[in-house]
Amino acid sequence: MNSKATQSEIKTVPRVVIVGAGFGGLNAAQTLASAPVNITVIDRRNHHTFQPLLYQVATAGLSPGEIATPIRSILSGHKNIEVLMAEVTGFDLARKMVKASDHEIAYDFLIIAAGASHAYFGHEEWEALAPGLKNIEDALEIRRRVLLAFELAERRAAAGETAVPLNFAVVGAGPTGVELAGTLAEICRHALAHDFRAIDPRRARIHLIEGGEHVLPSYPQDLSRSALQQLQRLGVEVLTSTMVTRIEPGVIYMGEARMEAAVILWAAGVAASPLGKELGVPVDRAGRVLVQPDLSLPGHPEVFVIGDLAALKDASGKLLPGVAQVAIQQGRFVAHLIRREMGKEAGVAQSRPAFHYHDKGNLATIGRAAAVADFGRIHISGYIAWLTWLFVHIFFLIGFQNRMLVFIQWAWSYFTYERGARLITGSTKLPGWHDAKFDHPEGEPAEREISAAARK
Amino acid sequence: MNSKATQSEIKTVPRVVIVGAGFGGLNAAQTLASAPVNITVIDRRNHHTFQPLLYQVATAGLSPGEIATPIRSILSGHKNIEVLMAEVTGFDLARKMVKASDHEIAYDFLIIAAGASHAYFGHEEWEALAPGLKNIEDALEIRRRVLLAFELAERRAAAGETAVPLNFAVVGAGPTGVELAGTLAEICRHALAHDFRAIDPRRARIHLIEGGEHVLPSYPQDLSRSALQQLQRLGVEVLTSTMVTRIEPGVIYMGEARMEAAVILWAAGVAASPLGKELGVPVDRAGRVLVQPDLSLPGHPEVFVIGDLAALKDASGKLLPGVAQVAIQQGRFVAHLIRREMGKEAGVAQSRPAFHYHDKGNLATIGRAAAVADFGRIHISGYIAWLTWLFVHIFFLIGFQNRMLVFIQWAWSYFTYERGARLITGSTKLPGWHDAKFDHPEGEPAEREISAAARK
């Protein structure tokens, strides 16, 4: 289709609607782009987020613009792809319609790639106290809290108040929790070390709390052990087999134990997009849609669910993990199925192959020069794993400009220990920091001492 | 002072408190850093903002981290400088105390460099409808609105709604208004031109509304005329001698005339920080403090007011402009005065020189390869002025890393016409876009047409 196509020509090509422009949706769109179809990509954000580097935005190493790219600029070269920024609210599978913010959109094929968000296991009230990390806004909120905690601590110490323990707690030791904890430790010991006068950031404590027995539980045990050692070397205090039972402003409870924490971050649970439940088919406990082996919906061969929203088991009966590689391969697989069936009558089930995941290996970064890599029989730890992680991630970043900018930022940080994006924007409040007292001090404020002695 | 100094040594050196870490405050601090003084820099933000490039963040060309740097990282090399992120609420000049968020801070010398913000001339209710551009949050809000307007227009057009005129209105044609209008025009015609399917961004209209007779009224008339031509060449529609009389959500009134505008931006007025009024000395209509020729406060030789917050006339009786150069020179001037008088009894008036501003020239950018430069007798327009502007601004950016990143972004944008930071974060609402109707469509939504014919 091009802009000179007539109305009748347009009606003859199938319409593919893709919900969500994460790794799955984007790869489906790009694989379909050269086919004679009209594609509509709908996302409630205007940008694709390179989620594997979100923790770098949360820890002030990269700017949001460096890991997020406008969806329509990624796809602008394809005249048969239309991008809509809209919130999808539901589906009418019988009429083949997607319900979005302000209108309905008809499809012949539908690919749902709406992803996942964090889960608080029925304690949704914890979200405001312990934000998770799934999008740019989350990352900026975490960055704000982390940087603000140091600022508030410095202000208190300068005012002669008794020192507040600068505790950071990260709940959940999967890849995201490990990245956050490791990078926080690195920042406290290096990037911030010399910037304060009344407090010493090197005395900040980073706690990583995991309910299971091991950090990085989905990795082979030798790599879990290595990750634990690398975390400890960075100064992270790891608590395994420890369940968080309650969170209050600035306080975290683990059974009988109680810990004050300036900032609490949540990396413990994932729930699939609520759109999965709108489909009227069975979902698993995490809200993932139980798809057919070809990723289609039972009874709806024209509807596919891919990525973090799909629950599919591999040959050994293990659920496919919620990682970018799975989503990318599923997006391409589904796009190829559609290309194959386009000529035939849409919506009629064809004999289809099952989706098979080709695991190319897993990488988890821990901090500066610290990572683990699992390539099946080959396990790597430390510097080499970190270099691998670095180049793989820069390579897969979308846009040459972003690759260049991120590479420079990284090289710069590596040699100078600086963090380029240490901005606090938005509110200047932190939960649990006794705002009332500090904003309206009662009585005479303590006389201030600019004194090196205040540094403990 | 270093961290091993004893308490008694600390008490003997004068304490200088600097309020505000803009160009004035930062230059004062850096000039004083090598002197035997204890310096406290207080700012309510954690970062210094390179304001001349704010419009680039507002128009998605640069990321906030590239033009803003943490104050404490700029000053971290100086052990006698302490940085506090706190809101200054007032002063006790008799007791020589600054009142901040949670405590009082004693000073021997005080430098107030709290800057200015936008003014709505008694119509503060316009701020939510027509944001101004003074800090990173403002820039992100403008970016959000501009990008969102295109997204909403595309969504409406795709839904078969009648097209909304994509009008942008910029009120005020000083340097900021001219930069915003010129860059918006450039974006519509280039960066966004091929990214939409149902609307054509090149048909967006940019209106620049100025109450006075000329754009860039503070520039020589030949440069004002040249700026007008360059704006028109970029496609900006300039309305001079036109007063804005009312603003409603999405609508702007100029006397009898009424214009619908998807986004309204305010660059028309500046008011000094309200802290000026806390000093109990005369201020001018814009709230600027009427300082002595040495920039000190009448009756308080130990208190200085500099930068946009100070009202000082030059030899010809003209008020010094609110530009970075004035603030930088004043910061250094005041720092040198303090260094000279440190040995003597603090707070006792000395015979002091008057501040003289050395005008090194003025540069205003308009858009891609469009600018004007006023170097006294030499006036330059167009490409050469723009190159000068570019290199001057990159050179003065704080931090080598930022200079490198901004240079790359610019080179990239110049050759590809791309904008690297086109992210919408935060709310997805725009004032005046009839949210109610769109969020809860009444009746049957119009059947959608993916049709090239929808492009007008």
Side-chain angles (χ1 to χ4, degrees), chain A residues 1-3 7 10-11 15 38 40 44 46-47 63-66 68-70 72-73 75-76 78-79 81-86 95 97 101-106 136-137 147-148 151 154-155 158-159 194-197 400-401 404-405 408-409 412 418 420-426 428 438-439 441 444-453, chain B residues 1-3 7 10-11 15 38 40 44 46-47 63-66 68-70 72-73 75-76 78-79 81-86 95 97 101-106 136-137 147-148 151 154-155 158-159 194-197 400-401 404-405 408-409 412 418 420-426 428 438-439 441 444-453:
Chain A
M1 173 198 174
N2 65 54
S3 60
Q7 198 71 9
I10 291 160
K11 298 251 165 174
R15 303 198 204 192
N38 281 334
T40 300
R44 59 178 160 177
N46 83 322
H47 50 273
S63 284
E66 289 158 359
T69 315
R72 59 175 75 257
S73 100
L75 299 172
S76 71
H78 308 293
K79 292 293 170 210
I81 302 184
E82 171 192 58
V83 176
L84 293 181
M85 179 181 166
R95 288 172 54 231
M97 288 283 183
S101 305
D102 34 15
H103 56 298
E104 288 189 324
I105 300 160
I136 294 284
E137 279 94 345
L147 297 175
L148 196 54
E151 295 294 337
E154 174 84 351
R155 210 164 86 187
H194 305 290
D195 283 7
F196 293 83
R197 299 289 174 263
F400 176 71
Q401 189 191 14
M404 196 161 52
L405 292 172
I408 290 176
Q409 295 263 28
W412 187 262
E418 269 290 342
R422 276 164 47 197
L423 307 187
I424 298 174
T425 49
T428 55
F438 260 71
D439 293 333
E444 198 62 25
E447 195 68 48
R448 176 164 152 284
E449 291 292 327
I450 308 180
S451 157
Chain B
M1 173 199 173
N2 64 52
S3 61
Q7 196 72 9
I10 291 159
K11 298 250 164 174
R15 302 197 204 193
N38 281 333
T40 300
R44 59 178 159 174
N46 83 322
H47 50 273
S63 284
E66 288 158 358
T69 315
R72 59 176 75 256
S73 102
L75 299 172
S76 71
H78 307 295
K79 291 292 171 211
I81 302 184
E82 171 191 60
V83 177
L84 293 182
M85 180 182 165
R95 289 173 53 231
M97 288 283 185
S101 307
D102 34 14
H103 56 302
E104 289 189 323
I105 300 160
I136 295 284
E137 279 95 346
L147 297 176
L148 195 55
E151 295 295 338
E154 174 84 350
R155 211 164 85 186
H194 305 290
D195 282 7
F196 293 83
R197 298 289 174 265
F400 176 71
Q401 189 191 13
M404 196 161 52
L405 291 173
I408 291 175
Q409 295 264 29
W412 188 262
E418 268 291 342
R422 276 164 48 198
L423 307 186
I424 298 174
T425 50
T428 54
F438 261 68
D439 293 334
E444 198 61 27
E447 194 69 47
R448 176 163 152 286
E449 292 291 327
I450 307 179
S451 157

Side-chain angles (χ1 to χ4, degrees), chain A residues 161-186:
Chain A
E161 297 264 330
T162 47
V164 207
L166 256 179
N167 273 341
F168 295 83
V170 180
V171 185
T176 301
V178 166
E179 282 164 356
L180 282 173
T183 314
L184 282 178
E186 193 191 308

Side-chain angles (χ1 to χ4, degrees), chain A residues 1-79:
Chain A
M1 173 198 174
N2 65 54
S3 60
K4 292 202 182 64
T6 66
Q7 198 71 9
S8 64
E9 278 173 338
I10 291 160
K11 298 251 165 174
T12 61
V13 300
R15 303 198 204 192
V16 181
V17 173
I18 300 173
V19 178
F23 288 110
L26 215 48
N27 274 276
Q30 285 168 325
T31 308
L32 274 168
S34 55
V37 287
N38 281 334
I39 304 166
T40 300
V41 176
I42 311 174
D43 199 294
R44 59 178 160 177
R45 295 175 204 284
N46 83 322
H47 50 273
H48 167 79
T49 308
F50 193 77
Q51 285 195 2
L53 292 182
L54 261 183
Y55 83 98
Q56 280 284 343
V57 175
T59 55
L62 295 173
S63 284
E66 289 158 359
I67 67 151
T69 315
I71 299 160
R72 59 175 75 257
S73 100
I74 301 171
L75 299 172
S76 71
H78 308 293
K79 292 293 170 210

Side-chain angles (χ1 to χ4, degrees), chain B residues 343-393:
Chain B
K344 305 161 193 176
E345 197 186 341
V348 173
Q350 314 285 336
S351 132
R352 287 173 173 173
F355 171 76
H356 288 292
Y357 173 49
H358 302 286
D359 189 345
K360 294 178 183 166
N362 290 293
L363 291 158
T365 185
I366 296 159
R368 185 186 177 78
V372 293
D374 169 22
F375 298 114
R377 273 174 305 179
I378 301 165
H379 294 176
I380 312 176
S381 286
Y383 192 72
I384 301 294
W386 180 74
L387 270 187
T388 312
W389 177 90
L390 198 116
F391 283 103
V392 164
H393 283 79

Side-chain angles (χ1 to χ4, degrees), chain B residues 89-174:
Chain B
T89 53
F91 307 95
D92 186 333
L93 298 184
R95 289 173 53 231
K96 295 190 182 171
M97 288 283 185
V98 173
K99 298 176 194 167
S101 307
D102 34 14
H103 56 302
E104 289 189 323
I105 300 160
Y107 63 81
D108 297 307
F109 291 99
L110 173 61
I111 303 173
I112 307 171
S117 187
H118 13 267
Y120 290 84
F121 311 123
H123 291 285
E124 304 313 315
E125 73 278 11
W126 292 355
E127 183 161 14
L129 306 175
L133 182 60
K134 273 289 173 188
N135 56 48
I136 295 284
E137 279 95 346
D138 293 341
L140 293 177
E141 175 62 14
I142 291 177
R143 183 178 84 179
R144 187 186 76 78
R145 291 190 189 206
V146 168
L147 297 176
L148 195 55
F150 287 99
E151 295 295 338
L152 295 182
E154 174 84 350
R155 211 164 85 186
R156 282 196 181 185
E161 295 267 329
T162 47
V164 206
L166 256 179
N167 274 341
F168 294 83
V170 180
V171 185

Side-chain angles (χ1 to χ4, degrees), chain B residues 178-302:
Chain B
V178 166
E179 282 163 356
L180 282 173
T183 314
L184 281 179
E186 192 190 309
I187 293 176
C188 297
R189 272 145 199 75
H190 297 295
L192 300 179
H194 305 290
D195 282 7
F196 293 83
R197 298 289 174 265
I199 61 164
D200 183 352
R202 284 168 295 198
R203 291 179 173 266
R205 294 173 64 182
I206 320 293
H207 303 272
L208 179 60
I209 304 163
E210 164 63 35
E213 275 179 65
H214 303 285
V215 303
L216 295 181
S218 68
Y219 278 68
Q221 280 212 15
D222 60 321
L223 290 181
S224 282
R225 269 194 304 274
S226 166
L228 176 64
Q229 284 162 6
Q230 294 183 64
L231 280 165
Q232 288 169 337
R233 211 172 301 137
L234 285 167
V236 176
E237 302 174 40
V238 182
L239 293 166
T240 49
S241 305
T242 305
M243 299 297 290
V244 169
T245 50
R246 203 163 92 217
I247 298 180
E248 287 175 1
V251 186
I252 190 162
Y253 294 86
M254 296 148 287
E256 298 294 297
R258 175 185 187 279
M259 182 196 287
E260 289 192 21
V263 177
I264 307 171
L265 305 180
W266 188 259
V270 164
S273 158
L275 280 182
K277 298 189 188 74
E278 298 292 323
L279 291 166
V281 297
V283 298
D284 72 4
R285 248 175 24 148
R288 284 175 293 222
V289 178
L290 304 172
V291 291
Q292 303 286 92
D294 64 355
L295 297 167
S296 72
L297 222 53
H300 285 283
E302 77 283 8

